[in-house]
Amino acid sequence: GQNIDQPTEMTATEGAIVQINCTYQTSGFNGLFWYQQHAGEAPTFLSYNVLDGLEEKGRFSSFLSRSKGYSYLLLKELQMKDSASYLCAVRVVTGANNLFFGTGTRLTVIP
Amino acid sequence: EAQVTQNPRYLITVTGKKLTVTCSQNMNHEYMSWYRQDPGLGLRQIYYSMNVEVTDKGDVPEGYKVSRKEKRNFPLILESPSPNQTSLYFCASFSISGATRAFFGQGTRLTVV
């Protein structure tokens, strides 16, 4: 596998902004994905970065720095329904294509 | 509709009774993979396949088998299930050409007693 690190848990207040970080050490990097996962359900795609910079999609933004092996997911105007796990995943190409996941960050949004 | 279909969604079985979890995708994806998810451990890869008849071990392959006889199907086989294989399983697929996201099946919650 690859080395992908995320905080285990975070708590934030409804209406606030939260940043979830992900660091990775991989060879053959070919893109970084963020997924949202509610308990017991399948992960759902949020964002994709392959070049350095910020990708914005409504309340969600994702940033990538390839030289630092670092990404973050920014969630604005938090809603209670944003309480979920957020998975950072790295796609690599080292002979074969593959997709590796971090352990996920469980976000709890409180009133 | 583009999708990955897993069956069954829920399964309770007894130790040692062979079972197969099916996974099928309708997007002509080359890559398919199986993951298991346990509390605190994230998605751990069991096996993956880059194309028909090409499979490789992931991080936790012990006790599992896979086959890829057709591009659309990638079944996960537990020849002799044990209680430590109780878990939530996900199948995923993506196209290896271009920057495309992975699609996930609905998940299979397996309990081995």
Side-chain angles (χ1 to χ4, degrees):
Chain A
Q2 312 286 312
N3 199 10
I4 303 170
D5 290 316
Q6 308 177 230
T8 305
E9 294 192 25
M10 297 182 74
T11 301
T13 306
E14 192 175 14
I17 299 172
V18 71
Q19 178 175 311
I20 302 174
N21 296 324
C22 172
T23 58
Y24 63 90
Q25 290 176 297
T26 66
S27 51
F29 177 84
N30 194 32
L32 188 143
F33 298 84
W34 284 95
Y35 284 84
Q36 181 191 61
Q37 186 182 28
H38 286 98
E41 297 181 10
T44 55
F45 172 76
L46 289 177
S47 70
Y48 170 72
N49 296 72
V50 67
L51 300 176
D52 287 358
L54 189 69
E55 294 283 339
E56 296 188 77
K57 245 186 182 183
R59 294 190 300 117
F60 293 67
S61 305
S62 57
F63 171 83
L64 176 68
S65 168
R66 292 178 64 145
S67 62
K68 293 187 173 135
Y70 168 69
S71 174
Y72 66 73
L73 179 70
L74 196 70
L75 292 76
K76 301 176 193 172
E77 300 167 19
L78 279 173
Q79 302 174 10
M80 300 299 289
K81 68 178 183 179
D82 297 328
S83 291
S85 288
Y86 291 85
L87 313 180
C88 173
V90 174
R91 182 162 163 177
V92 301
V93 180
T94 49
N97 270 263
N98 212 342
L99 184 66
F100 297 99
F101 285 83
T103 52
T105 299
R106 186 162 61 195
L107 173 67
T108 302
V109 180
I110 56 176
Chain B
E1 181 192 351
Q3 60 184 4
V4 178
T5 304
Q6 271 181 250
N7 279 297
R9 291 290 309 277
Y10 302 92
L11 179 61
I12 301 174
T13 190
V14 295
T15 299
K17 186 177 180 184
K18 181 179 178 180
L19 67 92
T20 299
V21 184
T22 63
C23 174
S24 180
Q25 49 95 4
N26 62 1
M27 296 163 280
N28 203 37
H29 286 166
E30 299 87 357
Y31 174 98
M32 296 184 76
S33 180
W34 277 103
Y35 298 89
R36 62 177 287 174
Q37 190 172 36
D38 304 288
L41 296 178
L43 283 166
R44 293 183 293 165
Q45 189 176 55
I46 303 170
Y47 271 94
Y48 67 100
S49 169
M50 289 302 304
N51 216 324
V52 176
E53 303 292 2
V54 180
T55 63
D56 211 343
K57 294 177 181 178
D59 294 323
V60 289
E62 294 78 20
Y64 304 94
K65 284 174 56 176
V66 292
S67 70
R68 189 92 183 271
K69 295 189 173 69
E70 307 161 281
K71 201 170 187 181
R72 62 184 294 121
N73 296 323
F74 190 44
L76 179 70
I77 302 151
L78 284 73
E79 294 270 4
S80 182
S82 62
N84 66 11
Q85 293 178 297
T86 292
S87 188
L88 180 57
Y89 292 85
F90 289 103
C91 178
S93 75
F94 65 74
S95 170
I96 62 172
S97 55
T100 60
R101 64 181 175 96
F103 289 75
F104 282 85
Q106 313 95 307
T108 297
R109 184 167 292 283
L110 173 66
T111 302
V112 184
V113 298

